[in-house]
Amino acid sequence: MTRHPSAWMSFLLWLPFETVQAAWTVNMAPGATATSRSVFDLHMTIFWICVAIGVVVFSVMIWSMILHRRSTGQQPAHFHEHTLVEVAWTVVPLVILVVMAIPATRTLIQIYDPSESELDVQVTGYQWKWHYKYLGQDVEFFSNLATPIEQIHNQADKDDHYLLEVDQPLVVPVGTKVRFLITATDVIHSWWVPALAVKKDAIPGFINESWTRIDKPGIYRGQCTELCGKDHGFMPVVVEAKSKEDFAAWLADKKAEVAKLKELTDKEWTREELVARGDKVYHTTCAACHQPEGQGLPPMFPALKGSKIVTGPKEKHLSTVFHGVPGTAMAAFGKQLSEVDLAAVITYERNAWGNNDGDMVTPKDVLALKQAEEK
Amino acid sequence: MERTLSTPRLIRRLLLAVVAMFGFGFALVPIYDVMCKALGINGKTAGSAYEGRQQVDETRQVRVQFLATNAAGMSWDFHPKADQLEVRPGASNEMLFVAYNPTDRPMTAQAIPSVAPAEAAAYFHKTECFCFSQQVLQPGERIEMPVRFIVDRELPGDVFHLTLAYTLFDVTARHPPVAQAPRTGATKENPNG
Amino acid sequence: MSAVIEPGHTEAAHDHAHGPARGLSRWLLTTNHKDIGTLYLWFSFCMFLLGGSMAMVIRAELFQPGLQIVEPAFFNQMTTMHGLVMVFGAVMPAFVGLANWMIPLMIGAPDMALPRMNNFSFWLLPAAFGLLVSTLFTAGGGPNFGWTFYAPLSTTYAPESVTYFIFAIHLMGISSIMGAINVVATVLNLRAPGMTLMKMPLFCWTWLITAFLLIAVMPVLAGVVTMMLMDIHFGTSFFNAAGGGDPVLFQHVFWFFGHPEVYIMILPAFGAVSSIIPTFSRKPLFGYTSMVYATASIAFLSFIVWAHHMFVVGVPLVGELFFMYATMLIAVPTGVKVFNWVSTMWQGSLTFETPMLFAVAFVILFTIGGFSGLMLAIAPADFQYHDTYFVVAHFHYVLVPGAIFGIFASAYYWLPKWTGHMYDETLGRLHFWLSFVGMNVAFFPMHFVGLAGMPRRIPDYNLQFADFNMVSSIGAFTFGATQLLFLFIVIKCIRGGRPAPAKPWDGAHGLEWTVPSPAPYHTFSTPPELPVEERQP
């Protein structure tokens, strides 16, 4: 991981040829599903047909460029049409196209297979993270970029999965038809995992479907592929395929986690503990808009440093984070974060960057608000 | 020489074409709607109640899933009472959706339905739906909103499951709730009563 | 009908000619097609440098993984403005400039049919782009939603400046439409006696078809931005799901404009290259008639393939199949054109002056762009290519060696006619080779990173894409810097150089070569008689 901080330095050193990590990948990978393999085969078929046509056309051209130069004493011919030839080069490409269309149609029909699925996951795009909900399982969570901001700003070495790592991947069982129901809450996103050959737009107000059946366990990485605003490049998709047994265990764990979180809520927290936890939550969830130092990006994303809400009464601060601010980019985090994380991040904001409020919001405060509203 | 139009006439025609194409751009909006309905392009369902009656097909079962998503900026609690139902084509079914306004001000919301697979949208008939009109909730108000629907008997045989997804949008800014006393109670503004 | 204007009879040509006005008012008020053509070409070149410098910012940021030079928010403004400036500011005005200069000279007309409108349609452009570029300096920043400005990112979630962007698009649209009307009127009504449609140089044909495309689709673009404006300010819900609209509708309407727009940017280049290759092959163009029909078929097909830009938005199977087949069909007329160019060269007597170098590179590299286009047409494969760098590679292969090389080829080809001097051939060839190498080094690796999984429009990327991105950036810097050489060559050519004869290329045909070089301010005030050699295409 020896990336030099200076772009020019590496330019001079011609870094790409030095590093071992050099990845000169030039082609699509066959992927991990039957669909991705047939798409790959189709891609290669079309590619080689194009290469063959290119070789013929370019050979004729280059032949002519070498042999039919004036400097070789070539006298120009005068022909300027030939019906038979012209008909031929209209019909032959048509035939080639039909040859291409047959496997393409077959693959497309395979992808549009409507058969029944065994597991359904709702995938929801947010600016700028994904939310996964296992239908009928009571399990749902957000999946945030896990790459530390220091790596992005070149203050730390970048790891192998730089920008392609998340805090909680989507976990699915292998050998199971998993259906994705894809939508978005704000702008259009697109959910893409190259190894599964699944790419579908997530459109606010509309639901799209797609599916996959993964052969072998592994971690498959992708990204949002539809420009969705500032952090479009920072909302990766990570899918972890586990064996059916491991998946069942994971699902049980996940359900147990809900209980565990409840325990955390009941625990007595000190301000320092909350600030430490809130630091992490802030940088995963809030820093993209409000910036690592709380300076914001006005006018879209207001500063938190010295902000009226953050330095004002804590009830208003909690309610703002919990409910969001309608009509702005500020989302309601009441559903997105646990009580502990809400309390932690608010306590952090109230005590960071010279916002020395000196007070704290406890998980129980958050729980109280939640319960008051559910009555 | 080919016969040609005089320049002023030619320009008039071209300008007419420009105006016509500008209009065509707008005409694409209804054309698109018609195409969507005919081909089931975007999973939109009808905006008004289905009036028909159908015989129940006892030989077949279809799984209908319900999804509820809040659009950005929407802070209501919004969810179906159950994740899914097994239904028979032709039969009338009901599902309740719960909505709760946790904020300290009245808000207007609009639910937008979408059906997947999109091709099946034309076979999903809502006889009653909270999405036909806007919902106003007072601070702290909670309601249960029904959707009643029939899955068409003609639903293609290769469709085993349908997903009905609602996205709830906050439209308070565009449609401020009319000042009124907080109401208690459940459903309202159902076109079919 | 007396005056067959012969080379060298400069005085005769000047007899009935009024010279240009002096000073600034010449350019502000001119109705002369040559002046307006010059204005368009200079404007286009300025925009090319502006859009190019934005590309340099993009490539500098992408030189290495991590954020170094710009923040993501500004990066998005750069990609958006780069696209808008290049498409609407550089490529389209360059072709209008070429049309203004050359169409009257090619068909023996004294000027464009609507000279005053011509002036107006040019001067709208600096206004439009002044407005557009000024948004970069506003508080919320300029347009940041990509040149395709998909709703709702460009409506509900847009920066304040979107209103100015919409207004700028309207101005550009009006300008293009007026330019197109002018071309149609000129080509249809001002041809010299005997210049039947099927005897016109192919450049006039492709421009005529382009003009009809412009008239058909620019109003649709105006319509779609008007709908955006109404959604943003007047409470309608064309594209807003909350009010019963559909964001996907935006894409349908946009691409109904957008796909023909792609051909608007390439057809005039087809025409110019169809003049240049025969000249330097010293052989008539092969298959003139089939070229005309192929161009018309491409234009027709461009209206029924738009949804191939939308294969992943959730189109039903029948829709995917229809748009896939229709798109694949475009390969047929495009293939005919390429085969015709190759056959024109076959058994010619070739020389490789700068215009020919650019034209040959045009054919080869455009064909490569065509191949990747064919791959993208295959819907299931497109699920993997869509919105990756493979697409970026594809359209830069079609637009840079296609549109831009076509413009360079035309510029070198006609510079002697415009300036009266030969350009510096050595520098011209240097410009070509640096552009050719730079362009391929910049864009070829993009195929690789795209296939390996790098999405487009991202300011930062995983390390696996690092090496090829660095190569791309080096190529892009080379290509960008090389264009300053072009500026130098053009200025040098204007200021002096070997005097150009009326017909500097021995293999050239066409009326434009019957007037002296530089072309007098007024030409063909009396319609010319076609030279014998022009009586057949």
Side-chain angles (χ1 to χ4, degrees):
Chain A
M1 305 310 114
T2 53
R3 284 261 154 217
H4 294 248
S6 150
W8 294 110
M9 177 87 86
S10 57
F11 173 55
L12 292 174
L13 294 175
W14 202 239
L15 194 67
F17 297 114
E18 287 182 4
T19 46
V20 254
Q21 63 174 36
W24 300 91
T25 314
V26 295
N27 199 3
M28 199 185 274
T33 65
T35 306
S36 72
R37 277 188 300 273
S38 39
V39 168
F40 176 79
D41 291 342
L42 181 65
H43 156 75
M44 291 316 289
T45 310
I46 308 293
F47 172 72
W48 285 115
I49 294 176
C50 287
V51 168
I53 301 171
V55 166
V56 173
V57 174
F58 297 149
S59 305
V60 174
M61 236 178 130
I62 290 165
W63 180 274
S64 152
M65 283 158 66
I66 293 169
L67 293 185
H68 303 151
R69 303 171 78 96
R70 186 168 64 176
S71 51
T72 61
Q74 177 78 21
Q75 285 302 310
H78 288 283
F79 62 87
H80 58 85
E81 54 193 2
H82 191 293
T83 313
L84 192 66
V85 171
E86 291 179 60
V87 169
W89 68 39
T90 312
V91 174
V92 173
L94 259 177
V95 174
I96 297 175
L97 288 181
V98 172
V99 171
M100 289 178 169
I102 292 167
T105 308
R106 200 184 304 129
T107 308
L108 199 59
I109 289 170
Q110 180 192 347
I111 292 175
Y112 272 73
D113 166 32
S115 67
E116 186 63 303
S117 58
E118 296 154 70
L119 174 70
D120 294 347
V121 180
Q122 184 187 353
V123 177
T124 312
Y126 286 72
Q127 278 180 329
W128 293 277
K129 59 200 157 202
W130 295 100
H131 178 262
Y132 301 114
K133 180 179 183 182
Y134 293 75
L135 298 180
Q137 304 286 349
D138 263 341
V139 170
E140 58 180 305
F141 53 85
F142 279 89
S143 182
N144 292 290
L145 176 71
T147 300
I149 196 103
E150 292 77 26
Q151 291 190 14
I152 297 173
H153 287 285
N154 311 303
Q155 291 144 352
D157 284 347
K158 300 176 181 16
D159 58 61
D160 274 350
H161 300 304
Y162 177 68
L163 297 185
L164 296 179
E165 53 199 345
V166 294
D167 52 356
Q168 299 192 80
L170 172 68
V171 179
V172 294
V174 295
T176 306
K177 179 164 178 178
V178 183
R179 191 162 66 113
F180 303 114
L181 292 154
I182 303 170
T183 186
T185 62
D186 33 48
V187 299
I188 301 178
H189 303 267
S190 193
W191 196 80
W192 181 36
V193 184
L196 314 186
V198 171
K199 183 188 285 153
K200 209 75 177 186
D201 281 1
I203 302 167
F206 293 84
I207 194 102
N208 255 329
E209 16 164 48
S210 190
W211 62 272
T212 192
R213 184 183 282 115
I214 303 176
D215 306 332
K216 49 181 191 298
I219 297 180
Y220 306 103
R221 294 167 199 274
Q223 283 180 273
C224 173
T225 48
E226 182 61 65
L227 178 64
C228 55
K230 183 170 76 67
D231 284 348
H232 162 55
F234 303 90
M235 50 181 293
V237 176
V238 179
V239 175
E240 188 175 353
K242 290 181 187 283
S243 70
K244 285 182 182 170
E245 301 76 47
D246 288 355
F247 174 75
W250 173 85
L251 199 63
D253 274 359
K254 207 72 196 167
K255 287 174 179 167
E257 234 173 63
V258 180
K260 234 181 279 163
L261 269 175
K262 196 173 167 307
E263 241 168 72
L264 277 176
T265 308
D266 293 339
K267 178 186 155 191
E268 290 299 331
W269 289 79
T270 69
R271 199 180 65 181
E272 286 65 36
E273 283 171 335
L274 282 175
V275 168
R277 190 183 175 98
D279 191 351
K280 287 201 195 83
V281 179
Y282 181 82
H283 287 98
T284 339
T285 312
C286 318
C289 298
H290 292 297
Q291 301 297 294
E293 293 304 315
Q295 72 272 34
L297 281 176
M300 273 292 270
F301 310 114
L304 297 186
K305 188 178 171 176
S307 132
K308 263 189 214 148
I309 290 174
V310 177
T311 58
K314 62 183 185 185
E315 291 71 25
K316 174 74 181 160
H317 189 179
L318 169 58
S319 150
T320 308
V321 176
F322 197 91
H323 297 131
V325 182
T328 71
M330 180 66 192
F333 286 93
K335 281 272 165 53
Q336 301 192 16
L337 296 175
S338 67
E339 286 98 25
V340 180
D341 286 344
L342 279 168
V345 77
I346 293 169
T347 306
Y348 170 76
E349 287 171 1
R350 298 181 74 77
N351 292 285
W353 327 298
N355 290 346
N356 296 316
D357 297 4
D359 56 3
M360 64 190 273
V361 171
T362 63
K364 283 177 186 155
D365 295 340
V366 182
L367 189 65
L369 174 71
K370 233 182 210 173
Q371 285 167 345
E373 298 198 338
E374 274 165 20
K375 283 214 177 88
Chain B
M1 286 292 294
E2 297 92 343
R3 253 194 71 224
T4 51
L5 291 167
S6 72
T7 303
R9 290 189 63 182
L10 178 66
I11 290 162
R12 261 203 300 279
R13 292 210 181 170
L14 292 176
L15 283 176
L16 207 66
V18 169
V19 174
M21 286 311 293
F22 185 71
F24 177 73
F26 283 84
L28 281 174
V29 179
I31 293 174
Y32 177 67
D33 269 351
V34 171
M35 293 292 282
C36 284
K37 282 211 187 83
L39 299 170
I41 288 175
N42 61 359
K44 253 193 200 174
T45 53
S48 57
Y50 175 75
E51 305 281 358
R53 288 279 175 275
Q54 295 197 356
Q55 274 228 311
V56 180
D57 179 353
E58 298 289 352
T59 61
R60 197 174 160 200
Q61 260 199 343
V62 180
R63 187 157 60 100
V64 179
Q65 280 173 321
F66 304 95
L67 301 184
T69 309
N70 276 357
M74 187 55 172
S75 47
W76 288 13
D77 182 7
F78 174 54
H79 59 264
K81 287 207 119 173
D83 277 343
Q84 60 184 45
L85 280 183
E86 294 285 341
V87 307
R88 297 212 180 273
S92 179
N93 311 278
E94 183 185 82
M95 175 53 59
L96 289 174
F97 279 70
V98 178
Y100 166 70
N101 177 4
T103 67
D104 54 6
R105 59 202 179 84
M107 285 174 73
T108 317
Q110 172 70 57
I112 299 295
S114 176
V115 170
E119 295 89 329
Y123 303 94
F124 187 84
H125 308 301
K126 294 190 280 354
T127 53
E128 182 182 330
C129 180
F130 54 93
C131 57
F132 293 148
S133 62
Q134 287 157 4
Q135 307 294 323
V136 175
L137 285 192
Q138 300 303 317
E141 187 181 357
R142 169 189 303 272
I143 56 169
E144 290 186 351
M145 310 177 292
V147 52
R148 287 199 187 86
F149 62 91
I150 298 171
V151 173
D152 203 294
R153 289 173 57 92
E154 305 293 312
L155 181 76
D158 61 357
V159 180
F160 306 100
H161 49 69
L162 277 168
T163 306
L164 173 63
Y166 285 104
T167 309
L168 196 67
F169 289 86
D170 173 11
V171 294
T172 312
R174 280 189 180 178
H175 305 277
V178 191
Q180 53 187 305
R183 280 169 299 176
T184 52
T187 64
K188 57 188 159 195
E189 289 161 17
N190 292 319
N192 293 6
Chain C
M1 303 299 284
S2 57
V4 178
I5 297 173
E6 283 162 34
H9 283 204
T10 324
E11 282 87 343
H14 273 290
D15 273 348
H16 51 272
H18 312 284
R22 284 181 195 286
L24 192 63
S25 61
R26 165 178 176 184
W27 300 106
L28 277 178
L29 302 174
T30 184
T31 55
N32 179 288
H33 73 100
K34 301 186 184 77
D35 280 355
I36 293 176
T38 307
L39 284 173
Y40 264 111
L41 289 169
W42 276 112
F43 176 80
S44 143
F45 190 68
C46 293
M47 287 296 124
F48 180 58
L49 292 184
L50 176 66
S53 33
M54 291 166 177
M56 296 301 105
V57 173
I58 296 169
R59 285 316 321 174
E61 179 53 56
L62 293 175
F63 188 73
Q64 276 206 310
L67 295 178
Q68 288 91 9
I69 296 165
V70 295
E71 285 302 308
F74 189 71
F75 182 88
N76 286 347
Q77 295 174 39
M78 285 292 103
T79 51
T80 305
M81 290 294 260
H82 166 71
L84 290 169
V85 166
M86 285 303 196
V87 168
F88 295 103
V91 173
M92 289 168 69
F95 284 130
V96 182
L98 291 174
N100 263 292
W101 248 105
M102 300 319 299
I103 288 179
L105 287 179
M106 285 175 159
I107 61 173
D111 204 311
M112 296 294 279
L114 308 156
R116 277 187 295 273
M117 190 169 91
N118 207 4
N119 171 292
F120 184 52
S121 73
F122 170 75
W123 282 107
L124 278 178
L125 280 182
F129 281 90
L131 191 64
L132 184 65
V133 174
S134 70
T135 60
L136 281 177
F137 304 99
T138 56
N144 56 8
F145 28 67
W147 87 274
T148 51
F149 51 100
Y150 280 7
L153 190 61
S154 64
T155 53
T156 321
Y157 292 81
E160 296 282 319
S161 59
V162 66
T163 309
Y164 298 96
F165 156 83
I166 290 172
F167 189 53
I169 294 282
H170 271 137
L171 290 180
M172 291 168 206
I174 293 170
S175 163
S176 297
I177 290 169
M178 291 198 302
I181 289 178
N182 213 343
V183 168
V184 174
T186 308
V187 170
L188 291 186
N189 281 2
L190 293 191
R191 276 169 287 127
M195 176 67 80
T196 60
L197 284 174
M198 291 310 273
K199 281 185 186 166
M200 290 195 304
L202 211 64
F203 180 72
C204 302
W205 256 116
T206 54
W207 237 113
L208 180 67
I209 292 167
T210 303
F212 280 117
L213 284 180
L214 280 165
I215 290 170
V217 301
M218 289 310 278
V220 176
L221 175 69
V224 77
V225 293
T226 307
M227 290 182 226
M228 278 171 63
L229 187 76
M230 290 163 75
D231 270 11
I232 295 169
H233 293 293
F234 305 118
T236 56
S237 293
F238 288 103
F239 311 130
N240 182 0
D246 185 346
V248 176
L249 169 66
F250 173 90
Q251 298 180 25
H252 282 288
V253 185
F254 178 83
W255 285 114
F256 186 85
F257 146 80
H259 200 78
E261 168 69 19
V262 174
Y263 295 113
I264 287 167
M265 291 193 280
I266 196 69
L267 294 184
F270 284 171
V273 165
S274 302
S275 286
I276 293 166
I277 290 181
T279 296
F280 296 96
S281 305
R282 293 167 185 78
K283 227 179 112 223
L285 179 68
F286 187 90
Y288 174 92
T289 320
S290 65
M291 282 295 212
V292 173
Y293 287 120
T295 312
S297 330
I298 291 175
F300 169 74
L301 287 173
S302 76
F303 284 102
I304 56 164
V305 297
W306 77 88
H308 69 219
H309 296 269
M310 304 166 55
F311 279 148
V312 303
V313 301
V315 178
L317 183 59
V318 280
E320 301 258 340
L321 288 173
F322 171 81
F323 286 108
M324 173 169 84
Y325 297 149
T327 306
M328 290 169 78
L329 270 185
I330 292 185
V332 175
T334 313
V336 166
K337 288 186 155 286
V338 172
F339 300 143
N340 281 344
W341 289 319
V342 174
S343 311
T344 306
M345 290 165 65
W346 188 252
Q347 290 188 352
S349 169
L350 304 178
T351 52
F352 294 92
E353 286 86 349
T354 312
M356 183 62 164
L357 287 174
F358 274 110
V360 171
F362 168 97
V363 177
I364 295 177
L365 299 178
F366 179 80
T367 306
I368 292 177
F371 287 142
S372 55
L374 184 57
M375 294 169 76
L376 283 159
I378 310 293
D382 181 71
F383 294 159
Q384 293 286 53
Y385 310 139
H386 181 85
D387 265 347
T388 66
Y389 258 84
F390 189 78
V391 177
V392 179
H394 159 70
F395 67 72
H396 280 94
Y397 259 85
V398 207
L399 288 175
V400 178
I404 306 280
F405 278 20
I407 293 163
F408 283 147
S410 315
Y412 283 109
Y413 187 55
W414 285 310
L415 258 179
K417 181 58 58 192
W418 299 338
T419 64
H421 304 123
M422 298 306 288
Y423 59 87
D424 187 323
E425 188 63 52
T426 316
L427 288 183
R429 287 181 190 188
L430 181 66
H431 173 224
F432 167 75
W433 283 109
L434 286 174
S435 297
F436 180 82
V437 172
M439 183 262 143
N440 281 293
V441 172
F443 299 117
F444 209 81
M446 290 184 184
H447 291 111
F448 303 147
V449 291
L451 292 176
M454 178 168 162
R456 64 190 282 207
R457 292 168 167 167
I458 57 173
D460 195 3
Y461 47 81
N462 182 263
L463 303 181
Q464 61 169 314
F465 310 123
D467 302 316
F468 278 129
N469 266 289
M470 192 177 281
V471 174
S472 268
S473 290
I474 293 166
F477 297 148
T478 313
F479 183 82
T482 303
Q483 304 323 316
L484 297 175
L485 177 61
F486 179 64
L487 177 66
F488 176 75
I489 295 170
V490 172
I491 291 174
K492 186 167 178 236
C493 179
I494 292 170
R495 295 169 65 98
R498 196 159 55 78
K503 189 171 127 179
W505 315 116
D506 60 304
H509 295 273
L511 285 176
E512 76 261 39
W513 308 112
T514 64
V515 302
S517 297
Y521 200 57
H522 294 286
T523 37
F524 300 129
S525 301
T526 9
E529 219 165 76
L530 296 194
V532 180
E533 51 174 291
E534 302 307 327
R535 301 244 165 99
Q536 55 102 6

